[in-house]
Amino acid sequence: MKTIACSLLSLAALVAASVGMSSCSDSAYYAGQWQGNPETIQIQGASNAMATITIDFAPTPGEKGRGNVNISAVINASQPASSDGIEQVYEANIVATASASGSYVAEDRDYDDIIVSLNPSTFNVNVDRDGVAFAQNALTEAQQPMLDSLTNVTAERWRKNITPVVRDIFNTYSTIEDIKVLHNDILKFEVGHKDYIFKRVGVPD
């Protein structure tokens, strides 16, 4: 009886393990939207800059270990600057967004290492002129047409400075390794020998 009971327990454990493995046997277990913590980045001329990365995995129905991916970023930056027509030194603050989409495919049978291929034509960086702000004390005597021109110039300059930096950041995600999901809302992985922890911010469709 003891031998039979032990055998039944072993069989039950094996079945449970099989079920557990099958539930994580494809990339569906990390489907959804995940966001990292803000990180300091280096942008030409910026006194400080931070980027917050979000990754959205959308597995292809019926195909294990592959799907679509979208990587986006919100960049907050500031830069002491000056401009013709305004004698005072002012500080410009901007918020930019960037995104790129493509596909991913699992590199191993455990589906915890993936290769990401972003479509270069989808890469986009936008600096909304309405999001450009200047230190108040620099604008006291400025006329609105002057400010509009300054805002447009500032936004375009930031877009050009941010674009190569964010493109390089996105390209580092070409290989994502050792993916783990903890408690269904924490995503751990490695990129370029650096560990990352992202939090779930969106559920799969």
Side-chain angles (χ1 to χ4, degrees):
M1 290 294 292
K2 186 178 294 186
T3 301
I4 294 175
C6 289
S7 298
L8 290 174
L9 287 173
S10 298
L11 179 60
L14 181 61
V15 170
S18 299
V19 171
M21 291 178 63
S22 64
S23 65
C24 294
S25 63
D26 59 56
S27 60
Y29 70 97
Y30 50 81
Q33 196 173 69
W34 308 85
Q35 187 174 87
N37 295 317
E39 289 196 26
T40 300
I41 60 175
Q42 300 299 318
I43 298 177
Q44 180 182 348
S47 57
N48 61 76
M50 304 287 288
T52 302
I53 304 296
T54 300
I55 304 178
D56 191 352
F57 294 107
T60 301
E63 297 188 34
K64 291 184 177 181
R66 66 175 61 244
N68 297 321
V69 62
N70 183 79
I71 302 179
S72 60
V74 176
I75 301 97
N76 293 271
S78 61
Q79 175 188 19
S82 61
S83 174
D84 294 339
I86 297 182
E87 295 181 358
Q88 301 180 55
V89 174
Y90 63 87
E91 183 177 70
N93 297 280
I94 64 96
V95 177
T97 57
S99 63
S101 58
S103 60
Y104 71 88
V105 61
E107 191 179 24
D108 56 23
R109 292 184 178 181
D110 292 331
Y111 302 96
D112 59 358
D113 296 340
I114 61 174
I115 303 297
V116 175
S117 299
L118 295 176
N119 184 343
S121 68
T122 67
F123 179 73
N124 179 64
V125 175
N126 179 62
V127 179
D128 187 350
R129 66 179 308 281
D130 292 335
V132 176
F134 302 100
Q136 179 115 18
N137 61 358
L139 308 181
T140 306
E141 303 298 329
Q143 299 297 315
Q144 190 60 46
M146 182 190 301
L147 294 182
D148 290 343
S149 176
L150 180 61
T151 297
N152 291 334
V153 170
T154 301
E156 180 59 20
R157 183 178 67 245
W158 275 104
R159 190 188 66 80
K160 290 180 178 179
N161 289 348
I162 289 171
T163 294
V165 175
V166 177
R167 181 184 286 115
D168 288 345
I169 292 173
F170 284 5
N171 285 339
T172 63
Y173 288 87
S174 59
T175 301
I176 302 178
E177 300 177 306
D178 199 23
I179 299 173
K180 293 181 176 65
V181 177
L182 306 178
H183 308 295
N184 199 42
D185 58 1
I186 299 294
L187 182 72
K188 294 183 65 177
F189 59 89
E190 183 178 308
V191 171
H193 305 293
K194 181 179 178 180
D195 293 327
Y196 289 86
I197 297 178
F198 279 36
K199 294 182 179 180
R200 186 185 291 279
V201 292
V203 297
D205 295 332

